[in-house]
Amino acid sequence: MNEYLFSGYRIKSVRQQHGGLECVIQLENEKFTITAADYRRIGEGILVANAVIDEEIYADLEFSSEKLSCIQKSLKHLEYGAMTERKLRMKLRGKFSQESIDAAIGILKQNGYIDDLHLAFDFCQEYFVGRRMSPAMIKAKLYNRGFDRDTVSVVFEEYDFSDEIIRENIEFLVMHKFGENLSDEQKRKALGYLIRQGYSYEDSKSCLEMDY
């Protein structure tokens, strides 16, 4: 007969911190810090001093504590600049369980900390208007930054890559790199340069006023 019978985990104390946003559950030999929302979800009447919790509640505390740590780590990463969900997941992988990562990412998305579509539009605007990039190069840059195919497709369906700005961008790039009053040889070099930057042959040729 097994002389040891599991009698549960006794809670020594429960206290709030950070203005009530977090709760610290102190057991006999360890403690768990969880969000106030998880404290309410698990049960304010269950998580009280001197209460004894079972394995199921203990496992929930473990998960909730890891999830909060994952959220906090994510916010640290996001302090350095907005990033895609995919990139953030890569930074968290190996440090937290997949379940905790999924839960943390879900909370961050709900609260607007992660918004891939909004971020992709911001980058598109910066690249097109600010950096004079071609739509083709912008698409490649967005993929390199970790945006998925669906997000990039929505951006390219909705963003206005106006012919006027495309022409302004080409003229700026040519002026910046080759100057004014280009010779035929310089125009040929400029044409090759613009095509390498992702601008179409026809747009580049038209802006360079090349008849051949």
Side-chain angles (χ1 to χ4, degrees):
M1 181 176 179
N2 189 346
E3 295 181 358
Y4 174 75
L5 295 175
F6 175 70
S7 59
Y9 302 91
R10 184 170 296 279
I11 298 175
K12 291 184 66 177
S13 64
V14 178
R15 62 182 175 85
Q16 295 184 342
Q17 63 182 19
H18 301 312
L21 295 176
E22 297 175 3
C23 287
V24 180
I25 315 299
Q26 179 70 56
L27 305 185
E28 293 293 338
N29 298 310
E30 57 191 320
K31 67 179 178 180
F32 298 104
T33 304
I34 63 176
T35 65
D38 279 330
Y39 172 64
R40 292 190 295 270
R41 175 182 60 79
I42 295 171
E44 297 176 64
I46 295 173
L47 301 176
V48 295
N50 296 317
V52 176
I53 59 173
D54 59 19
E55 292 278 11
E56 184 178 352
I57 298 298
Y58 179 87
D60 201 343
L61 285 174
E62 277 191 313
F63 167 71
S64 298
S65 182
E66 184 184 44
K67 179 179 65 176
L68 176 57
S69 295
C70 188
I71 291 170
Q72 292 169 336
K73 187 67 172 179
S74 298
L75 292 173
K76 284 289 185 183
H77 286 306
L78 292 170
E79 283 179 3
Y80 294 98
M83 64 180 67
T84 63
E85 177 182 340
R86 178 184 175 188
K87 185 174 181 180
L88 182 57
R89 283 181 178 276
M90 290 175 63
K91 288 183 175 293
L92 299 172
R93 193 172 299 150
K95 300 180 178 69
F96 302 95
S97 69
Q98 188 61 52
E99 185 180 9
S100 293
I101 293 173
D102 289 342
I105 292 290
I107 290 171
L108 292 170
K109 290 172 74 172
Q110 288 174 9
N111 288 277
Y113 289 100
I114 303 174
D115 187 338
D116 278 8
L117 188 58
H118 185 272
L119 183 60
F121 272 107
D122 285 348
F123 276 123
C124 190
Q125 176 74 5
E126 177 190 345
Y127 292 151
F128 188 51
V129 177
R131 302 195 190 182
R132 317 280 183 166
M133 290 184 184
S134 66
M137 185 168 283
I138 291 171
K139 181 175 286 189
K141 290 281 287 185
L142 292 178
Y143 281 132
N144 287 340
R145 280 192 168 272
F147 292 100
D148 60 38
R149 191 174 299 277
D150 290 341
T151 299
V152 175
S153 294
V154 171
V155 170
F156 271 73
E157 286 172 5
E158 298 184 8
Y159 189 85
D160 181 20
F161 293 100
S162 72
D163 293 339
E164 180 182 353
I165 295 180
I166 287 177
R167 186 175 185 88
E168 288 176 1
N169 287 353
I170 290 174
E171 289 174 348
F172 175 88
L173 292 173
V174 171
M175 174 73 71
H176 182 73
K177 191 168 182 67
F178 298 95
E180 298 182 274
N181 302 319
L182 275 58
S183 65
D184 289 346
E185 178 63 23
Q186 287 175 316
K187 286 183 179 182
R188 283 191 289 271
K189 289 181 179 179
L191 179 62
Y193 167 74
L194 292 169
I195 291 172
R196 290 193 298 274
Q197 297 303 308
Y199 286 101
S200 72
Y201 175 81
E202 289 302 324
D203 286 339
S204 302
K205 184 179 175 182
S206 172
C207 288
L208 290 168
E209 298 180 348
M210 298 174 69
D211 297 325
Y212 48 89

